[in-house]
Amino acid sequence: RCLEFIRRDFRRAGHALTEEARDEVQKHRTRLVELEVAFNKNIDEFQDGLDLTREQLAGVPDDAIERLSAGTAPDTFRVSLDYPDYYPFLENAKDPQARRVLQAKFDSRGGEANKKRLAEVLRLRDEAAKLLGYRNHAEYVLEERMAAKPEAALDFLSGLREKLYRKGRPELKALLALKRAEEGSRSDGVLRAWDWRYYHNQLMKKRFQVDKQKIKEYFPTDLVVEQMLKIYQEVLGLRFGEIRPAQAWHPD
């Protein structure tokens, strides 16, 4: 079995190919690394967001609003696409239009440049897989995994989707009922992508009495860090000590 896997790995690396074909596969792989790095870097550095008034931030916890920077217009706050801004806003903001716009901006991070990179990635993956003797990239990837074949993965996902759909329908109906109750005649009767986080949060509060803001009160940062370091010290046999004054990036 060990020999079988070693031979498989050599074959996947392209050692059964001609030198010319092997060089072509390597060029594809080098270019894929470049594209993936550029794709992720572009998302990380992408800057956008929404400038909103206090009224448009209705429902967002005060501590989340206090963390926001000032918007370009007077008396506005900047909700960026960074996770500490994005998630509290989508989960709590009552304004559906503002949620819709921020969701669209978040989903399109990276812009047209990343769409072009993604198209090239898909093409190069497919070409590299075919050079190595596979039907497509999925077949190449799954050879090392439990599913083994794309057909097995598709069958599994198809069956899982059906089961999850049956289980999820009651909750989706509950979320939609909350939306209709809140929006009244303004409701379009459809649970949108920018709605579900907000109404799921409302459902957790109303049905299960689970409020993230209340839970946070039991986990102040200093206590969490202290207990986390205690666990690491116990598991890894280490001792952490605070250095004062520390060579920090910022005085805080």
Side-chain angles (χ1 to χ4, degrees):
R1 185 170 177 80
C2 178
L3 177 60
E4 177 188 339
F5 282 3
I6 290 172
R7 294 184 63 181
R8 180 200 65 188
D9 292 343
F10 273 109
R11 176 173 48 79
R12 289 172 61 83
H15 292 293
L17 302 176
T18 63
E19 184 176 353
E20 183 181 359
R22 191 164 61 247
D23 288 345
E24 189 68 18
V25 170
Q26 187 56 47
K27 286 179 185 176
H28 280 46
R29 287 175 170 166
T30 301
R31 177 59 180 158
L32 281 167
V33 171
E34 294 171 354
L35 288 167
E36 288 164 10
V37 169
F39 185 95
N40 291 322
K41 185 172 183 286
N42 195 26
I43 289 179
D44 291 339
E45 296 178 353
F46 194 77
Q47 297 293 320
D48 202 353
L50 276 181
D51 289 350
L52 301 171
T53 63
R54 189 84 188 199
E55 291 74 21
Q56 290 173 303
L57 290 167
V60 179
D62 289 338
D63 64 337
I65 295 176
E66 289 168 4
R67 291 198 302 267
L68 300 175
S69 58
T72 52
D75 300 320
T76 62
F77 299 85
R78 181 72 168 180
V79 182
S80 73
L81 303 182
D82 296 334
Y83 292 146
D85 291 357
Y86 171 78
Y87 283 110
F89 185 81
L90 264 290
E91 290 172 356
N92 295 282
K94 293 180 178 293
D95 187 336
Q97 176 64 10
R99 293 199 309 267
R100 182 188 70 79
V101 175
L102 192 71
Q103 175 82 56
K105 287 176 176 286
F106 184 84
D107 290 342
S108 59
R109 288 170 301 159
E112 289 298 320
N114 267 11
K115 286 175 67 175
K116 292 177 181 177
R117 290 188 182 104
L118 184 57
E120 188 176 354
V121 164
L122 295 175
R123 177 179 62 79
L124 290 174
R125 283 179 173 179
D126 187 63
E127 289 177 3
K130 286 174 178 172
L131 283 168
L132 290 166
Y134 298 87
R135 289 178 295 164
N136 48 50
H137 180 68
E139 187 174 72
Y140 169 76
V141 169
L142 290 170
E143 183 183 29
E144 293 183 300
R145 301 185 182 178
M146 189 183 298
K149 298 287 184 182
E151 294 78 12
L154 288 171
D155 287 344
F156 172 75
L157 290 173
S158 178
L160 187 62
R161 181 184 184 278
E162 184 179 338
K163 292 168 186 171
L164 289 173
Y165 187 80
R166 287 201 305 269
K167 290 285 187 182
R169 288 304 297 168
E171 183 170 326
L172 289 173
K173 288 180 179 177
L175 296 177
L176 189 54
L178 287 172
K179 177 176 179 175
R180 286 176 174 143
E182 180 165 321
E183 296 187 356
S185 60
R186 295 180 291 109
S187 176
D188 58 7
V190 179
L191 193 70
R192 304 289 180 180
W194 53 88
D195 290 330
W196 78 265
R197 290 187 189 277
Y198 173 75
Y199 288 109
H200 182 265
N201 191 28
Q202 299 305 309
L203 183 69
M204 294 297 287
K205 291 179 182 178
K206 293 177 180 178
R207 180 178 292 182
F208 305 109
Q209 290 75 53
V210 176
D211 187 337
K212 289 184 179 180
Q213 291 303 116
K214 296 293 182 184
I215 292 173
K216 282 168 62 176
E217 295 174 9
Y218 294 91
F219 295 93
T221 303
D222 291 346
L223 177 63
V224 170
V225 171
E226 177 189 341
Q227 297 303 317
M228 181 183 70
L229 292 179
K230 278 185 178 180
I231 292 171
Y232 278 123
Q233 289 176 123
E234 181 179 347
V235 171
L236 302 176
L238 302 174
R239 288 293 176 268
F240 295 117
E242 186 173 4
I243 298 174
R244 288 184 177 277
Q247 293 296 316
W249 293 330
H250 189 276
D252 291 345

